[in-house]
Amino acid sequence: MSTAAASGLRARPATYAGLFVLTLSTLAYEIVLTRIFSVTMWYHFAFVAISVALFGTTAGALLVHLRPHWFTEERVKGQMWRFALAYAVFIVVAISTQLSINFRVEANAGAIAAVFWTCVIIAVPFTLAGVVVCLALTRFPDRTNRLYAADLVGAGLGCILLVLAFEHFDGPSLVVLVAAIGGIAAFLFALDARERKGIVLGALATVVLLVTAFGNDALHARNKPFIKILYTKEEKDPKHRNDAWNAFSRVTVDGDPDAWGRPFGNGLSDTMPDDMVVNQLSMLIDSTAGTVMTRFSGDLDETDFLRYDISNMAYWMQEGPDFHHAAIIGVGGGRDVLSAAEFGAERIAGIEINGNILDLVTDTYGEFTNLDEIEGLDLINDEARSYLTRTSDNFETIQISLIDTWAATSAGAFALSENSLYTVEAWDTFLDQLTDDGILTVSRWFRHENPEPLEMLRTTALASQVLTDRGVENPRDHVLIYEGPPEGPVGATVGTIMVSKNPFTEDQLRKAEEVAEEMQFTPVLTPTYENGEFPFAELVQPGGPGPNLDVVKADISPPTDDKPFFFQMADLGNLIRQDLPANKQVFRSVVVLAALAVAVLILAAVCIGGPLYQIGRQTSHRGRTPYYLYFCGIGLGFLMVEISQLMRLSTFLGHPTYALAVV
């Protein structure tokens, strides 16, 4: 290294700038991949981009180490711009290839090959970037500290700018924009190398990629992009009425606003009159989580159908002159807001973390939804726990209605998703914000081709634990559970659990019983009745759910902020022991995660472990064991800190993308 420095290999300002821009692009590419993967594949794959990025950059550095004769001093600067240029080009190749793969999670050779091929293709740009970064940090040893500073600052800025750029670009177009930034890096490295060919090619690539990015985004606004999502979660992606992206999600809108039809609702009673028809548009978040926008003119007679929905049972118990304030967690298309208005809430706080959803509902389709016609409505763009912790208001009702609505029907799509709304700490906050007679009402899937209502069982255990922690002697007096009509629009039933700070009053219990009988909803658990089909009563015994959590083989323990994985109800230990619950679908996410881990490990073993083994056979390792342990410790510690902070900050910041950008 000192020989290189002594011979005159110097890092000029253009190299610092090139490294800054390249790492900015690389980190932005890593984060944008997590967002695209969460749309095109199940959530399990979103953060595989982190593993593949680490694998790719390591492979690039190893290539420099194994082939020193390729990277001689006189060729280094020329190679830096060439590899940076290849990085920019291969980003476009990689994303185009990945978007063309109909990714399926199945136990067959084709699906397994798709996992490996996806990992390989997205790793190529990271490998090329890894070569450039390694050359920059090893071939200019007298400037390593300054170059590394440029590396870190560029990477950090890339994380921030990516989140901001998502406000203006769709996902595929943003990937091309990230590639264009890589082209700028190639141009800057070529300037330092003083190679005219590189300067021209770097500039040309940058211009072409910028035109492509902005052009594709403009065509996306017209619903005619040439680089686009082709498949989403094992299905061909149709043409959408509207398609909006941000750092939280991709939101699509479909349907005919003038078409009349039966209201959409997963928990609507069969007793709803046949002549109740509405205009509705469907809204999908990340291609799976569904909600609807309903045409509304301000006349509450248009929303009478909402009285037949099981998710609104709590409103029947609160309706009257004392129903002052309702909080809706997850506004979505505005359906729950209309429900609160239908039952006479004087004030409604609609809390929605995703700004794109609020823009679509109030601006793009504002003349369709007309939510501004609802008196006392306050739409709040905020994370629900954060807002409810800060507000001084108290509510008669807090409603969480089918948030993450595809969790059951996708067989574990969100199992590895941190969800800070379904934790002991979150529900304790929600109960704090209720009035003395207030009700926290939560609707979740009850049955869907599954013999056990695991989501509702876990929700019941969560409610029981929170109440027990608050000093309640008999949680059952504070819990009501009802199941909706069979086979809704997606072939599933919905269960609604209602939790009160104080024991339910006789009037509230009588009203719930009357409504359930009229609407033909099935009682599951009340203070005086239990449906013996499932072990709900065991979970609300005095002392909390702890002694009875083994009533089913799945993990239905109450989630906490330290383990906020509400939908993850099994692990590899269950699979290895063959300790399978009746609902084997809960293992899909475990199998997927294991397959991903195996894929990355095999790639690492072949591309990194194999070459290192060959080097080991040619050199002596005597006395190097402490160094190996030292660097293994650094790597292990780094990843453990990163993963733990991702989980913690996902709760604090409200979304994994923000957490990833910050970490």
Side-chain angles (χ1 to χ4, degrees), residues 32-33 35-36 95 99 162 166 169-178 216-217 220 227 229 243-246 250:
V32 74
L33 279 180
R35 179 91 314 275
I36 289 179
I95 194 63
L99 292 179
L162 188 281
F166 251 128
F169 288 85
D170 65 287
S173 298
L174 187 51
V175 173
V176 180
L177 180 63
V178 168
N216 194 70
D217 186 64
H220 170 265
I227 302 176
I229 302 291
D243 183 346
W245 290 74
N246 63 8
R250 176 207 192 198

Side-chain angles (χ1 to χ4, degrees), residues 570-616:
D571 56 29
L572 283 174
N574 298 107
L575 198 61
I576 293 170
R577 295 190 302 268
Q578 293 296 300
D579 184 22
L580 305 177
N583 178 9
K584 294 182 177 60
Q585 290 290 357
V586 301
F587 282 97
R588 184 176 184 180
S589 61
V590 178
V591 174
V592 169
L593 186 61
L596 284 171
V598 170
V600 174
L601 286 173
I602 290 176
L603 287 172
V606 172
C607 301
I608 298 175
L612 288 177
Y613 175 74
Q614 289 297 325
I615 295 173

Side-chain angles (χ1 to χ4, degrees), residues 451-455 457-458 461 533-536 538-539 548-557 569 574 579-583:
E452 296 173 318
L454 295 181
E455 284 192 25
L457 284 168
R458 192 166 205 185
E533 184 179 1
F534 302 111
F536 285 94
E538 287 89 331
L539 297 174
N548 297 300
L549 289 175
D550 59 353
V551 290
V552 294
K553 292 184 178 180
D555 179 8
I556 58 170
S557 60
M569 302 184 196
N574 298 107
D579 184 22
L580 305 177
N583 178 9

Side-chain angles (χ1 to χ4, degrees), residues 132-317:
V132 180
V133 173
C134 183
L135 290 175
L137 297 180
T138 61
R139 296 304 189 262
F140 307 95
D142 59 330
R143 292 292 183 268
T144 298
N145 56 342
R146 299 181 183 181
L147 286 165
Y148 194 48
D151 176 320
L152 293 178
V153 174
L157 188 60
C159 296
I160 298 171
L161 293 180
L162 188 281
V163 173
L164 298 176
F166 251 128
E167 299 295 327
H168 308 285
F169 288 85
D170 65 287
S173 298
L174 187 51
V175 173
V176 180
L177 180 63
V178 168
I181 297 173
I184 296 173
F187 172 79
L188 292 168
F189 287 131
L191 278 179
D192 194 354
R194 297 178 180 176
E195 294 188 18
R196 184 175 180 180
K197 178 181 177 181
I199 294 173
V200 172
L201 289 176
L204 181 62
T206 301
V207 171
V208 170
L209 291 170
L210 282 174
V211 170
T212 302
F214 281 92
N216 194 70
D217 186 64
L219 290 173
H220 170 265
R222 296 173 174 79
N223 218 0
K224 298 178 180 179
F226 49 88
I227 302 176
K228 60 183 179 180
I229 302 291
L230 297 178
Y231 299 97
T232 57
K233 299 178 173 69
E234 307 179 12
E235 301 289 342
K236 187 173 179 61
D237 192 44
K239 190 173 183 179
H240 300 285
R241 184 179 189 89
N242 197 286
D243 183 346
W245 290 74
N246 63 8
F248 286 95
S249 64
R250 176 207 192 198
V251 182
T252 57
V253 177
D254 295 287
D256 182 354
D258 298 318
W260 291 91
R262 294 278 287 175
F264 176 85
N266 294 299
L268 288 171
S269 168
D270 293 336
T271 65
M272 185 179 70
D274 293 335
D275 60 354
M276 284 191 171
V277 291
V278 294
N279 303 127
Q280 290 185 322
L281 292 172
S282 67
M283 180 185 290
L284 283 178
I285 299 96
D286 278 356
S287 71
T288 47
T291 181
V292 293
M293 293 185 288
T294 303
R295 186 185 294 278
F296 179 64
S297 67
D299 183 358
L300 291 176
D301 289 340
E302 299 170 348
T303 59
D304 286 348
F305 69 93
L306 292 169
R307 291 182 171 269
Y308 296 86
D309 197 312
I310 190 171
S311 63
N312 294 329
M313 278 198 69
Y315 291 135
W316 281 100
M317 300 160 65

Side-chain angles (χ1 to χ4, degrees), residues 430-657:
F430 300 156
L431 292 181
D432 280 343
Q433 297 308 123
L434 290 174
T435 60
D436 289 341
D437 294 327
I439 300 174
L440 169 64
T441 172
V442 180
S443 297
R444 293 246 36 100
W445 298 113
F446 198 91
R447 307 173 200 243
H448 179 75
E449 301 175 357
N450 303 322
E452 296 173 318
L454 295 181
E455 284 192 25
M456 189 52 65
L457 284 168
R458 192 166 205 185
T459 306
T460 304
L462 172 57
S464 180
Q465 186 64 57
V466 173
L467 291 167
T468 300
D469 290 347
R470 295 173 68 90
V472 172
E473 292 184 4
N474 187 11
R476 183 167 174 173
D477 291 338
H478 301 247
V479 175
L480 293 175
I481 303 175
Y482 288 86
E483 181 184 7
E487 297 185 3
V490 295
T493 66
V494 171
T496 292
I497 181 171
M498 291 164 280
V499 185
S500 64
K501 289 173 64 172
N502 295 317
F504 283 106
T505 65
E506 290 297 326
D507 288 342
Q508 288 176 321
L509 293 174
R510 184 176 60 255
K511 186 63 177 179
E513 184 177 349
E514 291 173 355
V515 172
E517 183 176 358
E518 179 183 350
M519 302 293 177
Q520 298 179 8
F521 297 147
T522 303
V524 176
L525 182 72
T526 74
T528 58
Y529 171 84
E530 62 179 277
N531 184 330
E533 184 179 1
F534 302 111
F536 285 94
E538 287 89 331
L539 297 174
V540 291
Q541 296 296 318
N548 297 300
L549 289 175
D550 59 353
V551 290
V552 294
K553 292 184 178 180
D555 179 8
I556 58 170
S557 60
T560 66
D561 282 351
D562 288 332
K563 190 180 178 182
F565 301 98
F566 175 81
F567 301 106
Q568 181 67 15
M569 302 184 196
D571 56 29
L572 283 174
N574 298 107
L575 198 61
I576 293 170
R577 295 190 302 268
Q578 293 296 300
D579 184 22
L580 305 177
N583 178 9
K584 294 182 177 60
Q585 290 290 357
V586 301
F587 282 97
R588 184 176 184 180
S589 61
V590 178
V591 174
V592 169
L593 186 61
L596 284 171
V598 170
V600 174
L601 286 173
I602 290 176
L603 287 172
V606 172
C607 301
I608 298 175
L612 288 177
Y613 175 74
Q614 289 297 325
I615 295 173
R617 296 180 62 183
Q618 301 168 11
T619 60
S620 172
H621 293 277
R622 183 175 301 173
R624 297 183 181 179
T625 300
Y627 296 99
Y628 295 149
L629 293 176
Y630 173 76
F631 282 102
C632 282
I634 288 179
L636 180 62
F638 171 80
L639 264 299
M640 291 179 73
V641 170
E642 180 178 24
I643 292 170
S644 64
Q645 290 306 307
L646 278 172
M647 290 178 59
R648 182 63 69 184
L649 288 175
S650 291
T651 299
F652 179 70
L653 298 174
H655 197 274
T657 300

